[in-house]
Amino acid sequence: MPSPVVPDPTAGRRPRWVYSVGAEPDARFSLANERTFLAWVRTALALLAAGVALEALALPIHPGLRLAAAVVLVVLGAVAAPAAWIGWARAERAMRRGDALPAPTSFAVLVVGVALAGVLVLLGVLLA
Amino acid sequence: MSGSEAGLPPGRPAGPAADPLAAERTALAWRRTALALLGGSLAAGRLLQPTLGGAAWGVAGVGVVLAVLVLAVAHRRRVLARADARDPAHPHGVVGGGRLVTVTAAGTALLGLCGVLLVARG
């Protein structure tokens, strides 16, 4: 017996490669996915603010190491925004298909980058 | 409608009517993000001015417009979620596709480019 035809609530939604597959998940899961995306966006903004502040405030840190730390933070912040979007889309797609959630690929980059920036600032303070 | 509001099994499309706090948390998360974008855009405009001149305020303007848009959508969703909580039989569908998500990511990426530009110029 064919399933009854229900108007598709996802008809106008973008991106199509996310919303054209699977079935509507529990709205609470989609909302949680959105909040995770937003947390990444705020992380990206915080990384950008930290990197820019490091250069703009002319802190008493070894200039080369300060610039290196600022570059690491700012590049991380710039990369985190598209990474947040890709993570959101992949998670939403997996939930619609009933698949396991994709492994978080951005964690390692974020942790290594922030640790590296911290070490650079520490060395910069010691060598100033 | 079968099943009480509280006793819905997981995995079933339950909607924010089953958990109005989830919609509330999400609206607040959008609001926090909008405020961060607002602050970031204004700071970018101020800091980029020596480098870009008047165009810096164009960048800031894009960010401010985006932040206001996010605030407006968050507010609208909150209103709809409250309506759904009062009247679960006629849900509005508070989860609204990926357009705002995509625009937010693009705006943040733009601020990211500004940050890279700033640091690269010294």
Side-chain angles (χ1 to χ4, degrees):
Chain A
M1 191 179 123
S3 55
V5 178
V6 180
D8 181 10
T10 68
R13 291 192 190 166
R14 297 283 183 281
R16 293 306 300 159
W17 64 275
V18 169
Y19 287 105
S20 63
V21 298
E24 191 73 359
D26 188 322
R28 287 170 289 186
F29 302 160
S30 293
L31 290 171
N33 191 27
E34 246 176 45
R35 291 197 295 277
T36 306
F37 163 78
L38 291 170
W40 273 101
V41 166
R42 291 194 300 273
T43 304
L45 291 171
L47 287 165
L48 290 170
V52 169
L54 214 48
E55 275 303 290
L57 295 181
L59 299 166
I61 303 173
H62 184 278
L65 291 170
R66 190 182 67 197
L67 179 63
V71 167
V72 168
L73 288 171
V74 167
V75 168
L76 266 185
V79 169
W85 186 82
I86 292 168
W88 167 83
R90 287 176 68 207
E92 194 69 23
R93 191 179 150 89
M95 288 193 298
R96 296 186 67 84
R97 292 161 56 103
D99 291 347
L101 289 179
T105 47
S106 313
F107 285 11
V109 178
L110 183 71
V111 169
V112 169
V114 171
L116 179 62
V119 168
L120 288 170
V121 169
L122 184 64
L123 283 178
V125 169
L126 293 176
L127 293 179
Chain B
M1 190 178 177
S2 64
S4 72
E5 257 184 52
L8 289 164
R12 195 197 126 159
D19 188 0
L21 291 179
E24 188 85 22
R25 283 198 297 277
T26 309
L28 286 170
W30 277 107
R31 203 169 282 191
R32 277 200 301 279
T33 307
L35 290 174
L37 273 172
L38 195 65
S41 306
L42 292 174
R46 178 79 179 77
L47 289 170
L48 280 169
Q49 210 173 16
T51 314
L52 295 181
W57 293 113
V59 172
V62 170
V64 170
V65 167
L66 177 61
V68 171
L69 178 74
V70 169
L71 281 175
V73 173
H75 180 71
R76 183 168 164 275
R77 284 210 196 171
R78 201 148 161 261
V79 169
L80 292 182
R82 290 195 168 167
D84 283 3
R86 278 195 304 272
D87 184 13
H90 302 96
H92 292 88
V94 171
V95 180
R99 275 200 193 90
L100 191 62
V101 170
T102 305
V103 172
T104 304
T108 311
L110 177 69
L111 279 180
L113 283 179
C114 293
V116 170
L117 185 69
L118 259 174
V119 171
R121 292 282 181 95

